[in-house]
Amino acid sequence: MSEKQTFDLSFFMPGQTVEAEEVKVPISKRFVDKKGNVIPFVFKAITTERIDELEKENTTFKNVKGRGRVKDLDSQRFYARIAIESTIYPDFRSKELREAYSTQDPVEVAKRVLSVGGEYANWLNKAIEINGFEDEIEDLEEAAKN
């Protein structure tokens, strides 16, 4: 018989975890302050529960012959929504930016603000990385190209 090993679970109890920190990252050289300094974007990881909600919001079901009802995740939209919610500054959901870009969709605002080459992809990649999805970067880059 082996002895039962005990582990200290107190580290995982409510109130013991450290809240996700804000991370400042330059996404584009085009956004500069009056002194010419690049303005960093500010990110913060979102909760697993919110990521699950975003996945549900971006999932549809299709009837596929021979396979029945099949789940279809709009991964491009899903990752963009994670990025929107993880980006504290600039707040692409703000009324001011949505009105300035004549759209109610914060994803469209982000696409219009980050309109040069790899800016949008850089932004998506950083948001995904901050939320712990590093393994899926290749898929994200491919989705951002489309």
Side-chain angles (χ1 to χ4, degrees), residues 31-120:
F31 306 107
V32 294
D33 63 18
K34 291 176 181 163
K35 295 179 183 174
N37 300 313
V38 172
I39 299 170
F41 281 36
V42 180
F43 295 90
K44 186 174 181 180
I46 57 176
T47 65
T48 302
E49 291 83 7
R50 186 61 186 134
I51 289 173
D52 288 347
E53 290 169 5
L54 291 171
E55 183 178 11
K56 285 177 188 162
E57 289 172 15
N58 292 285
T59 299
T60 55
F61 291 89
K62 295 189 227 178
N63 289 321
V64 177
K65 194 172 182 177
R67 293 178 51 204
R69 225 165 106 94
V70 176
K71 185 175 164 178
D72 183 34
L73 174 66
D74 181 347
S75 58
Q76 240 185 315
R77 182 83 183 166
F78 172 59
Y79 288 126
R81 291 293 303 150
I82 289 173
I84 290 292
E85 299 218 8
S86 300
T87 306
I88 294 171
Y89 180 77
D91 182 359
F92 294 118
R93 296 175 288 187
S94 75
K95 182 179 179 183
E96 188 177 5
L97 281 177
R98 286 183 289 124
E99 286 178 356
Y101 287 96
S102 303
T103 180
Q104 289 305 306
D105 184 359
V107 173
E108 283 305 312
V109 172
K111 285 180 179 179
R112 292 175 191 172
V113 170
L114 299 167
S115 61
V116 172
E119 291 174 345
Y120 186 77

Coordinates of all heavy atoms in Angstrom, one line a residue, residues 31-120:
F31 N 1.0 54.9 -34.7 CA 0.3 55.7 -33.7 C 1.3 56.2 -32.7 O 1.9 55.5 -31.9 CB -0.7 54.7 -33.0 CG -1.6 54.1 -33.9 CD1 -1.5 52.7 -34.2 CD2 -2.6 54.8 -34.6 CE1 -2.4 52.1 -35.1 CE2 -3.5 54.2 -35.5 CZ -3.4 52.9 -35.8
V32 N 1.5 57.6 -32.8 CA 2.5 58.2 -32.0 C 1.9 59.4 -31.2 O 0.9 60.0 -31.7 CB 3.7 58.7 -32.8 CG1 4.5 57.5 -33.4 CG2 3.3 59.6 -33.9
D33 N 2.5 59.7 -30.1 CA 2.0 60.9 -29.3 C 2.7 62.2 -29.9 O 3.4 62.1 -30.9 CB 2.3 60.7 -27.8 CG 3.7 60.7 -27.5 OD1 4.6 61.0 -28.3 OD2 4.0 60.2 -26.4
K34 N 2.4 63.3 -29.3 CA 2.9 64.6 -29.8 C 4.4 64.7 -29.8 O 5.0 65.5 -30.5 CB 2.3 65.7 -29.0 CG 0.8 65.9 -29.2 CD 0.2 66.9 -28.4 CE -1.3 67.0 -28.7 NZ -2.1 67.7 -27.7
K35 N 5.1 63.8 -29.0 CA 6.5 63.8 -28.9 C 7.2 62.8 -29.9 O 8.4 62.6 -29.9 CB 7.0 63.5 -27.5 CG 6.6 64.6 -26.5 CD 7.1 64.2 -25.1 CE 6.7 65.3 -24.1 NZ 7.0 64.9 -22.7
G36 N 6.3 62.1 -30.6 CA 6.8 61.1 -31.5 C 7.0 59.7 -30.9 O 7.5 58.8 -31.6
N37 N 6.6 59.5 -29.7 CA 6.7 58.2 -29.0 C 5.6 57.3 -29.5 O 4.4 57.7 -29.6 CB 6.6 58.3 -27.5 CG 7.7 59.2 -27.0 OD1 8.9 59.0 -27.3 ND2 7.4 60.1 -26.1
V38 N 5.9 56.0 -29.8 CA 4.9 55.1 -30.2 C 3.9 54.8 -29.0 O 4.3 54.6 -27.9 CB 5.5 53.7 -30.6 CG1 4.4 52.7 -30.9 CG2 6.3 53.9 -31.9
I39 N 2.6 54.9 -29.3 CA 1.6 54.7 -28.3 C 1.3 53.2 -28.2 O 0.8 52.6 -29.2 CB 0.3 55.4 -28.6 CG1 0.6 56.9 -28.7 CG2 -0.8 55.1 -27.6 CD1 -0.5 57.8 -29.3
P40 N 1.6 52.6 -27.0 CA 1.3 51.1 -26.9 C -0.2 50.9 -26.7 O -0.9 51.7 -26.1 CB 2.1 50.8 -25.6 CG 2.1 52.0 -24.8 CD 2.2 53.1 -25.8
F41 N -0.6 49.7 -27.1 CA -1.9 49.2 -26.8 C -1.9 48.6 -25.4 O -0.8 48.1 -25.0 CB -2.4 48.2 -27.8 CG -2.9 48.7 -29.1 CD1 -2.3 49.8 -29.7 CD2 -3.9 48.1 -29.8 CE1 -2.7 50.3 -30.9 CE2 -4.3 48.6 -31.0 CZ -3.8 49.7 -31.6
V42 N -3.0 48.6 -24.7 CA -3.0 48.0 -23.4 C -4.0 46.8 -23.4 O -5.1 46.9 -23.9 CB -3.5 49.0 -22.3 CG1 -3.5 48.3 -20.9 CG2 -2.6 50.2 -22.3
F43 N -3.5 45.6 -23.0 CA -4.2 44.4 -23.0 C -4.4 43.8 -21.6 O -3.6 44.1 -20.8 CB -3.5 43.3 -23.8 CG -3.3 43.6 -25.3 CD1 -2.2 44.3 -25.8 CD2 -4.3 43.2 -26.2 CE1 -2.1 44.6 -27.1 CE2 -4.1 43.4 -27.6 CZ -3.0 44.1 -28.0
K44 N -5.4 43.0 -21.4 CA -5.6 42.3 -20.2 C -6.4 41.0 -20.6 O -7.4 41.1 -21.3 CB -6.4 43.1 -19.2 CG -6.5 42.5 -17.8 CD -7.2 43.4 -16.8 CE -7.3 42.8 -15.5 NZ -7.9 43.7 -14.5
A45 N -5.9 39.9 -20.0 CA -6.6 38.6 -20.3 C -8.0 38.6 -19.8 O -8.3 39.3 -18.8 CB -5.8 37.5 -19.7
I46 N -8.9 37.9 -20.5 CA -10.3 37.8 -20.1 C -10.5 36.4 -19.5 O -9.6 35.5 -19.6 CB -11.2 38.0 -21.3 CG1 -11.0 37.1 -22.4 CG2 -11.1 39.5 -21.7 CD1 -12.0 37.2 -23.6
T47 N -11.6 36.2 -18.8 CA -11.8 35.0 -18.1 C -12.1 33.8 -19.0 O -12.6 34.0 -20.2 CB -13.0 35.1 -17.1 OG1 -14.2 35.3 -17.8 CG2 -12.7 36.2 -16.1
T48 N -11.9 32.6 -18.6 CA -12.3 31.4 -19.3 C -13.8 31.4 -19.6 O -14.2 31.0 -20.7 CB -11.9 30.2 -18.5 OG1 -10.5 30.2 -18.3 CG2 -12.2 28.9 -19.2
E49 N -14.5 31.8 -18.6 CA -16.0 31.8 -18.8 C -16.4 32.8 -19.9 O -17.2 32.4 -20.7 CB -16.7 32.3 -17.5 CG -16.6 31.3 -16.4 CD -15.3 31.4 -15.5 OE1 -14.5 32.3 -15.8 OE2 -15.1 30.5 -14.7
R50 N -15.7 33.9 -20.0 CA -16.1 34.9 -21.1 C -15.6 34.3 -22.4 O -16.3 34.4 -23.5 CB -15.4 36.2 -20.9 CG -15.8 37.3 -21.9 CD -17.3 37.5 -21.9 NE -17.7 38.4 -22.9 CZ -18.7 38.2 -23.7 NH1 -19.5 37.2 -23.6 NH2 -19.0 39.1 -24.7
I51 N -14.5 33.6 -22.5 CA -14.0 33.0 -23.7 C -15.0 31.9 -24.2 O -15.4 31.8 -25.3 CB -12.6 32.4 -23.6 CG1 -11.6 33.5 -23.5 CG2 -12.3 31.4 -24.7 CD1 -10.2 33.1 -23.1
D52 N -15.6 31.1 -23.2 CA -16.6 30.1 -23.5 C -17.8 30.8 -24.1 O -18.4 30.3 -25.1 CB -17.0 29.3 -22.3 CG -15.9 28.4 -21.9 OD1 -15.0 28.1 -22.6 OD2 -16.0 27.8 -20.7
E53 N -18.2 32.0 -23.5 CA -19.4 32.7 -24.0 C -19.2 33.2 -25.5 O -20.0 33.1 -26.3 CB -19.7 33.9 -23.1 CG -20.3 33.5 -21.8 CD -20.3 34.7 -20.8 OE1 -20.0 35.9 -21.2 OE2 -20.7 34.5 -19.6
L54 N -18.0 33.7 -25.7 CA -17.6 34.2 -27.0 C -17.6 33.0 -28.1 O -18.0 33.2 -29.2 CB -16.3 34.9 -27.0 CG -16.2 36.2 -26.3 CD1 -14.8 36.7 -26.2 CD2 -17.1 37.3 -27.0
E55 N -17.1 31.9 -27.6 CA -17.2 30.7 -28.5 C -18.6 30.4 -28.9 O -18.9 30.1 -30.1 CB -16.5 29.5 -27.9 CG -16.4 28.3 -28.8 CD -15.7 27.1 -28.2 OE1 -15.4 27.2 -26.9 OE2 -15.4 26.2 -28.9
K56 N -19.5 30.3 -27.9 CA -20.9 30.0 -28.2 C -21.5 31.1 -29.1 O -22.3 30.7 -30.0 CB -21.7 30.0 -26.9 CG -21.4 28.7 -26.1 CD -22.2 28.7 -24.8 CE -21.7 27.5 -23.9 NZ -22.1 27.7 -22.5
E57 N -21.2 32.4 -28.9 CA -21.7 33.4 -29.7 C -21.3 33.3 -31.2 O -21.9 33.9 -32.0 CB -21.3 34.8 -29.1 CG -22.0 35.2 -27.8 CD -21.4 36.4 -27.2 OE1 -20.7 37.2 -27.9 OE2 -21.7 36.7 -26.0
N58 N -20.1 32.7 -31.4 CA -19.6 32.6 -32.7 C -19.6 31.2 -33.3 O -18.9 30.9 -34.2 CB -18.1 33.2 -32.7 CG -18.1 34.6 -32.4 OD1 -18.4 35.4 -33.3 ND2 -17.8 35.0 -31.2
T59 N -20.5 30.4 -32.8 CA -20.7 29.1 -33.3 C -22.1 28.9 -33.8 O -23.1 29.4 -33.3 CB -20.5 28.1 -32.1 OG1 -19.2 28.2 -31.6 CG2 -20.7 26.6 -32.6
T60 N -22.2 28.3 -35.0 CA -23.5 27.9 -35.6 C -23.4 26.4 -35.8 O -22.4 25.7 -35.7 CB -23.7 28.6 -36.9 OG1 -22.6 28.3 -37.8 CG2 -23.8 30.1 -36.8
F61 N -24.6 25.9 -36.1 CA -24.7 24.4 -36.4 C -25.2 24.2 -37.8 O -26.1 24.9 -38.2 CB -25.6 23.7 -35.4 CG -25.0 23.7 -34.0 CD1 -25.2 24.8 -33.1 CD2 -24.2 22.7 -33.6 CE1 -24.6 24.7 -31.8 CE2 -23.6 22.6 -32.3 CZ -23.8 23.7 -31.4
K62 N -24.6 23.3 -38.5 CA -25.0 23.0 -39.9 C -25.4 21.6 -39.9 O -24.9 20.7 -39.3 CB -23.9 23.2 -40.9 CG -23.4 24.6 -41.0 CD -22.4 24.6 -42.2 CE -21.2 25.4 -41.9 NZ -20.2 25.4 -42.9
N63 N -26.4 21.3 -40.8 CA -26.7 19.9 -41.1 C -25.9 19.4 -42.2 O -25.9 20.0 -43.3 CB -28.2 19.8 -41.4 CG -29.1 20.0 -40.2 OD1 -28.8 19.5 -39.1 ND2 -30.2 20.7 -40.4
V64 N -25.0 18.4 -42.0 CA -24.1 17.9 -43.0 C -24.6 16.5 -43.3 O -24.7 15.6 -42.4 CB -22.7 17.9 -42.5 CG1 -21.7 17.3 -43.5 CG2 -22.2 19.3 -42.1
K65 N -24.8 16.2 -44.6 CA -25.3 14.9 -45.0 C -24.3 13.8 -44.5 O -23.1 13.9 -44.7 CB -25.3 14.9 -46.6 CG -26.1 13.8 -47.1 CD -26.3 13.9 -48.6 CE -27.1 12.8 -49.1 NZ -27.4 12.9 -50.6
G66 N -24.9 12.8 -43.9 CA -24.1 11.7 -43.4 C -23.5 11.9 -42.0 O -23.0 11.0 -41.4
R67 N -23.5 13.2 -41.6 CA -22.9 13.5 -40.3 C -23.8 14.1 -39.3 O -23.5 14.3 -38.1 CB -21.7 14.3 -40.4 CG -20.5 13.6 -41.2 CD -19.3 14.5 -41.4 NE -18.8 15.1 -40.2 CZ -18.1 16.2 -40.3 NH1 -17.8 16.8 -41.4 NH2 -17.7 16.8 -39.2
G68 N -25.0 14.5 -39.8 CA -26.0 15.2 -38.9 C -25.6 16.6 -38.6 O -25.0 17.3 -39.4
R69 N -26.0 17.0 -37.4 CA -25.7 18.4 -37.0 C -24.3 18.6 -36.6 O -23.8 17.9 -35.7 CB -26.6 18.7 -35.8 CG -27.3 20.1 -35.9 CD -28.4 20.1 -34.9 NE -28.1 21.0 -33.7 CZ -28.4 22.2 -33.7 NH1 -29.1 22.8 -34.6 NH2 -28.1 22.9 -32.6
V70 N -23.6 19.5 -37.3 CA -22.2 19.7 -37.1 C -21.9 21.2 -36.6 O -22.4 22.1 -37.1 CB -21.3 19.5 -38.4 CG1 -19.9 19.8 -38.2 CG2 -21.5 18.1 -38.8
K71 N -21.1 21.2 -35.5 CA -20.7 22.5 -34.9 C -19.8 23.3 -35.9 O -18.8 22.7 -36.4 CB -20.1 22.3 -33.6 CG -19.7 23.5 -32.8 CD -19.2 23.0 -31.4 CE -18.5 24.1 -30.7 NZ -18.0 23.7 -29.4
D72 N -20.0 24.6 -36.1 CA -19.1 25.3 -37.0 C -18.8 26.6 -36.3 O -19.6 27.5 -36.1 CB -19.9 25.6 -38.3 CG -19.0 26.4 -39.3 OD1 -17.8 26.2 -39.3 OD2 -19.6 27.2 -40.0
L73 N -17.5 26.7 -35.9 CA -17.0 27.9 -35.2 C -16.4 28.9 -36.2 O -15.6 28.5 -37.0 CB -15.9 27.5 -34.2 CG -15.2 28.7 -33.5 CD1 -16.1 29.5 -32.6 CD2 -14.0 28.2 -32.7
D74 N -16.9 30.1 -36.2 CA -16.3 31.2 -37.0 C -15.1 31.6 -36.3 O -15.1 32.6 -35.5 CB -17.3 32.3 -37.2 CG -16.8 33.4 -38.1 OD1 -15.6 33.5 -38.4 OD2 -17.6 34.3 -38.5
S75 N -13.9 31.0 -36.5 CA -12.7 31.2 -35.7 C -12.2 32.6 -35.9 O -11.7 33.2 -35.0 CB -11.7 30.2 -36.0 OG -11.3 30.1 -37.4
Q76 N -12.3 33.2 -37.1 CA -11.8 34.5 -37.4 C -12.6 35.5 -36.4 O -12.0 36.3 -35.8 CB -12.1 34.9 -38.8 CG -10.9 35.3 -39.6 CD -11.2 35.8 -41.0 OE1 -12.1 35.2 -41.7 NE2 -10.6 36.8 -41.4
R77 N -13.9 35.4 -36.4 CA -14.7 36.3 -35.6 C -14.5 36.0 -34.1 O -14.4 36.9 -33.3 CB -16.2 36.1 -35.9 CG -17.1 37.0 -35.2 CD -17.2 38.3 -35.8 NE -18.1 39.2 -35.1 CZ -18.2 40.5 -35.2 NH1 -17.5 41.1 -36.1 NH2 -19.0 41.2 -34.4
F78 N -14.3 34.7 -33.7 CA -14.1 34.3 -32.3 C -12.8 35.0 -31.8 O -12.8 35.6 -30.8 CB -14.0 32.8 -32.3 CG -13.6 32.3 -30.9 CD1 -14.3 32.5 -29.8 CD2 -12.5 31.4 -30.9 CE1 -13.9 32.0 -28.6 CE2 -12.1 30.9 -29.7 CZ -12.8 31.2 -28.5
Y79 N -11.7 34.8 -32.6 CA -10.4 35.4 -32.1 C -10.5 37.0 -32.1 O -9.9 37.6 -31.2 CB -9.3 35.0 -33.0 CG -8.9 33.5 -32.8 CD1 -8.9 32.6 -33.9 CD2 -8.6 33.1 -31.5 CE1 -8.5 31.3 -33.6 CE2 -8.3 31.7 -31.3 CZ -8.2 30.9 -32.4 OH -7.9 29.5 -32.2
A80 N -11.2 37.5 -33.1 CA -11.3 39.0 -33.1 C -12.1 39.5 -31.9 O -11.7 40.5 -31.3 CB -12.0 39.4 -34.4
R81 N -13.1 38.8 -31.5 CA -13.9 39.1 -30.3 C -13.1 39.0 -29.0 O -13.2 39.8 -28.1 CB -15.2 38.3 -30.2 CG -16.2 38.6 -31.3 CD -16.8 40.0 -31.2 NE -17.4 40.1 -29.8 CZ -17.5 41.3 -29.2 NH1 -17.1 42.4 -29.8 NH2 -18.1 41.4 -28.0
I82 N -12.2 38.0 -29.0 CA -11.3 37.8 -27.8 C -10.4 39.1 -27.8 O -10.2 39.7 -26.7 CB -10.5 36.5 -27.9 CG1 -11.4 35.3 -27.6 CG2 -9.3 36.6 -26.9 CD1 -10.7 34.0 -27.8
A83 N -9.9 39.4 -28.9 CA -9.0 40.6 -29.0 C -9.7 41.9 -28.6 O -9.1 42.7 -27.9 CB -8.4 40.7 -30.4
I84 N -10.9 42.1 -29.1 CA -11.7 43.3 -28.7 C -11.8 43.3 -27.2 O -11.6 44.4 -26.6 CB -13.1 43.2 -29.4 CG1 -13.0 43.4 -30.9 CG2 -14.0 44.3 -28.7 CD1 -12.5 44.8 -31.3
E85 N -12.2 42.2 -26.6 CA -12.5 42.3 -25.1 C -11.2 42.3 -24.3 O -11.2 42.7 -23.2 CB -13.3 41.1 -24.8 CG -14.7 41.1 -25.5 CD -15.8 40.7 -24.7 OE1 -15.7 40.4 -23.5 OE2 -16.9 40.6 -25.3
S86 N -10.1 41.9 -24.9 CA -8.8 41.9 -24.2 C -8.1 43.3 -24.3 O -7.1 43.5 -23.6 CB -7.9 40.8 -24.7 OG -8.5 39.6 -24.6
T87 N -8.5 44.1 -25.3 CA -7.9 45.4 -25.5 C -8.5 46.4 -24.7 O -9.7 46.8 -24.9 CB -7.9 45.7 -27.0 OG1 -7.4 44.7 -27.8 CG2 -7.2 47.0 -27.3
I88 N -7.8 46.9 -23.7 CA -8.3 48.0 -22.8 C -8.2 49.4 -23.5 O -9.0 50.2 -23.5 CB -7.6 47.9 -21.5 CG1 -7.9 46.6 -20.8 CG2 -7.9 49.2 -20.6 CD1 -7.1 46.4 -19.6
Y89 N -7.0 49.5 -24.2 CA -6.7 50.8 -24.9 C -6.0 50.5 -26.2 O -5.0 49.8 -26.2 CB -5.8 51.7 -24.0 CG -5.5 53.0 -24.6 CD1 -6.5 54.0 -24.7 CD2 -4.3 53.2 -25.2 CE1 -6.2 55.3 -25.3 CE2 -4.0 54.5 -25.8 CZ -4.9 55.5 -25.8 OH -4.7 56.7 -26.4
P90 N -6.5 51.0 -27.3 CA -7.7 51.8 -27.4 C -9.0 50.9 -27.3 O -8.9 49.7 -27.6 CB -7.6 52.3 -28.8 CG -6.8 51.3 -29.6 CD -5.8 50.8 -28.6
D91 N -10.0 51.4 -26.7 CA -11.3 50.7 -26.6 C -12.1 50.8 -27.9 O -12.8 51.7 -28.1 CB -12.1 51.3 -25.4 CG -13.4 50.5 -25.1 OD1 -13.7 49.5 -25.9 OD2 -14.1 50.9 -24.2
F92 N -12.0 49.7 -28.7 CA -12.7 49.6 -30.0 C -14.2 49.6 -29.8 O -14.9 49.8 -30.8 CB -12.2 48.5 -30.8 CG -10.7 48.6 -31.2 CD1 -9.8 47.6 -30.8 CD2 -10.3 49.6 -32.0 CE1 -8.4 47.8 -31.1 CE2 -9.0 49.7 -32.4 CZ -8.0 48.8 -31.9
R93 N -14.7 49.3 -28.6 CA -16.1 49.3 -28.3 C -16.7 50.7 -28.0 O -17.9 50.9 -27.9 CB -16.4 48.4 -27.2 CG -16.0 46.9 -27.4 CD -16.2 46.0 -26.2 NE -15.2 46.4 -25.3 CZ -15.0 45.7 -24.1 NH1 -15.7 44.7 -23.8 NH2 -14.0 46.0 -23.3
S94 N -15.8 51.7 -27.8 CA -16.2 53.0 -27.4 C -17.2 53.6 -28.5 O -17.0 53.5 -29.7 CB -15.1 53.9 -27.2 OG -14.5 54.3 -28.4
K95 N -18.1 54.3 -28.0 CA -19.1 55.0 -28.8 C -18.4 56.0 -29.8 O -18.7 56.1 -30.9 CB -20.1 55.7 -28.0 CG -21.2 56.4 -28.8 CD -22.2 57.1 -27.9 CE -23.3 57.8 -28.7 NZ -24.2 58.5 -27.8
E96 N -17.4 56.7 -29.2 CA -16.6 57.7 -29.9 C -16.0 57.1 -31.2 O -16.1 57.6 -32.3 CB -15.6 58.3 -29.0 CG -14.9 59.5 -29.6 CD -13.9 60.1 -28.6 OE1 -13.7 59.5 -27.5 OE2 -13.3 61.1 -28.9
L97 N -15.3 55.9 -31.0 CA -14.6 55.3 -32.1 C -15.6 54.7 -33.1 O -15.4 54.8 -34.3 CB -13.6 54.2 -31.7 CG -12.3 54.7 -31.2 CD1 -11.4 53.6 -30.7 CD2 -11.5 55.5 -32.2
R98 N -16.7 54.1 -32.6 CA -17.7 53.5 -33.5 C -18.3 54.5 -34.3 O -18.6 54.3 -35.5 CB -18.7 52.7 -32.7 CG -18.1 51.3 -32.1 CD -19.2 50.5 -31.4 NE -19.5 51.1 -30.1 CZ -20.7 51.4 -29.7 NH1 -21.8 51.2 -30.5 NH2 -21.0 52.0 -28.6
E99 N -18.6 55.7 -33.8 CA -19.2 56.8 -34.5 C -18.2 57.3 -35.5 O -18.6 57.6 -36.7 CB -19.7 57.9 -33.6 CG -21.0 57.5 -32.9 CD -21.5 58.5 -31.9 OE1 -20.8 59.6 -31.7 OE2 -22.6 58.3 -31.3
A100 N -17.0 57.5 -35.1 CA -15.9 58.0 -36.0 C -15.7 57.2 -37.3 O -15.5 57.7 -38.4 CB -14.6 58.2 -35.3
Y101 N -15.9 55.8 -37.1 CA -15.7 54.9 -38.2 C -17.0 54.4 -38.8 O -17.1 53.5 -39.6 CB -14.8 53.7 -37.8 CG -13.4 54.1 -37.6 CD1 -12.9 54.5 -36.4 CD2 -12.5 54.2 -38.7 CE1 -11.6 54.9 -36.2 CE2 -11.2 54.6 -38.6 CZ -10.7 55.0 -37.3 OH -9.4 55.3 -37.2
S102 N -18.1 55.0 -38.4 CA -19.5 54.8 -38.9 C -19.8 53.3 -38.9 O -20.3 52.7 -39.9 CB -19.6 55.3 -40.4 OG -19.3 56.7 -40.4
T103 N -19.6 52.6 -37.8 CA -20.0 51.2 -37.6 C -20.3 51.0 -36.2 O -19.7 51.6 -35.3 CB -18.9 50.3 -38.2 OG1 -19.4 48.9 -38.0 CG2 -17.6 50.4 -37.5
Q104 N -21.2 50.1 -35.9 CA -21.5 49.7 -34.5 C -20.7 48.5 -34.1 O -20.7 48.1 -33.0 CB -23.0 49.4 -34.4 CG -23.9 50.6 -34.4 CD -23.5 51.7 -33.4 OE1 -23.4 51.4 -32.2 NE2 -23.2 52.9 -33.9
D105 N -20.0 47.9 -35.1 CA -19.2 46.6 -34.9 C -17.8 47.0 -34.4 O -17.0 47.5 -35.2 CB -19.2 45.8 -36.1 CG -18.5 44.5 -36.0 OD1 -18.0 44.2 -34.9 OD2 -18.4 43.7 -37.0
P106 N -17.4 46.7 -33.2 CA -16.0 47.0 -32.8 C -15.0 46.3 -33.5 O -13.8 46.8 -33.7 CB -16.0 46.6 -31.3 CG -17.4 46.1 -31.0 CD -18.2 46.1 -32.2
V107 N -15.3 45.1 -34.1 CA -14.3 44.4 -34.9 C -14.0 45.2 -36.2 O -12.8 45.3 -36.6 CB -14.8 42.9 -35.3 CG1 -13.9 42.3 -36.3 CG2 -14.9 42.1 -34.0
E108 N -15.0 45.8 -36.8 CA -14.8 46.6 -38.0 C -14.0 47.8 -37.6 O -13.2 48.3 -38.4 CB -16.2 47.0 -38.6 CG -16.8 45.9 -39.4 CD -15.9 45.4 -40.5 OE1 -15.3 46.2 -41.3 OE2 -15.8 44.1 -40.6
V109 N -14.3 48.4 -36.4 CA -13.5 49.6 -36.0 C -12.0 49.1 -35.9 O -11.1 49.8 -36.5 CB -13.9 50.1 -34.6 CG1 -13.0 51.1 -34.1 CG2 -15.3 50.6 -34.7
A110 N -11.7 48.0 -35.3 CA -10.3 47.5 -35.2 C -9.7 47.3 -36.6 O -8.5 47.7 -36.8 CB -10.3 46.2 -34.4
K111 N -10.4 46.8 -37.5 CA -9.9 46.5 -38.9 C -9.6 47.9 -39.5 O -8.6 48.0 -40.3 CB -10.9 45.7 -39.7 CG -11.0 44.3 -39.3 CD -12.0 43.6 -40.2 CE -12.0 42.1 -39.9 NZ -13.0 41.4 -40.7
R112 N -10.4 48.9 -39.3 CA -10.2 50.2 -40.0 C -9.1 50.9 -39.3 O -8.3 51.6 -40.0 CB -11.5 51.0 -40.0 CG -12.5 50.3 -40.9 CD -13.9 51.0 -40.8 NE -14.9 50.2 -41.5 CZ -16.2 50.5 -41.5 NH1 -16.6 51.6 -40.8 NH2 -17.0 49.7 -42.1
V113 N -8.9 50.8 -38.0 CA -7.8 51.5 -37.3 C -6.5 50.8 -37.6 O -5.5 51.5 -37.9 CB -8.0 51.5 -35.7 CG1 -6.8 51.9 -35.0 CG2 -9.2 52.3 -35.4
L114 N -6.5 49.5 -37.6 CA -5.3 48.7 -37.9 C -5.3 48.3 -39.4 O -5.3 47.1 -39.7 CB -5.3 47.5 -37.0 CG -5.2 47.9 -35.5 CD1 -5.5 46.6 -34.6 CD2 -3.9 48.5 -35.1
S115 N -5.3 49.3 -40.3 CA -5.5 49.0 -41.7 C -4.3 48.7 -42.5 O -4.4 48.4 -43.7 CB -6.2 50.3 -42.3 OG -5.4 51.4 -42.1
V116 N -3.1 48.8 -41.9 CA -1.9 48.6 -42.7 C -1.3 47.2 -42.4 O -1.2 46.8 -41.3 CB -0.8 49.7 -42.3 CG1 0.5 49.3 -42.9 CG2 -1.3 51.1 -42.7
G117 N -1.0 46.5 -43.6 CA -0.3 45.3 -43.5 C -0.6 44.4 -42.4 O -1.7 43.9 -42.2
G118 N 0.4 44.1 -41.6 CA 0.3 43.2 -40.5 C -0.2 43.7 -39.1 O -0.2 43.0 -38.2
E119 N -0.6 45.0 -39.1 CA -1.1 45.5 -37.8 C -2.2 44.7 -37.2 O -2.1 44.4 -36.0 CB -1.6 47.0 -38.0 CG -0.5 48.0 -38.3 CD -1.1 49.3 -38.7 OE1 -2.3 49.5 -38.9 OE2 -0.2 50.3 -38.7
Y120 N -3.2 44.4 -38.0 CA -4.4 43.7 -37.5 C -3.9 42.3 -37.0 O -4.3 41.9 -35.9 CB -5.4 43.6 -38.6 CG -6.7 42.9 -38.1 CD1 -7.6 43.6 -37.4 CD2 -7.0 41.6 -38.5 CE1 -8.8 43.1 -36.9 CE2 -8.2 41.0 -38.1 CZ -9.1 41.8 -37.3 OH -10.3 41.2 -36.9

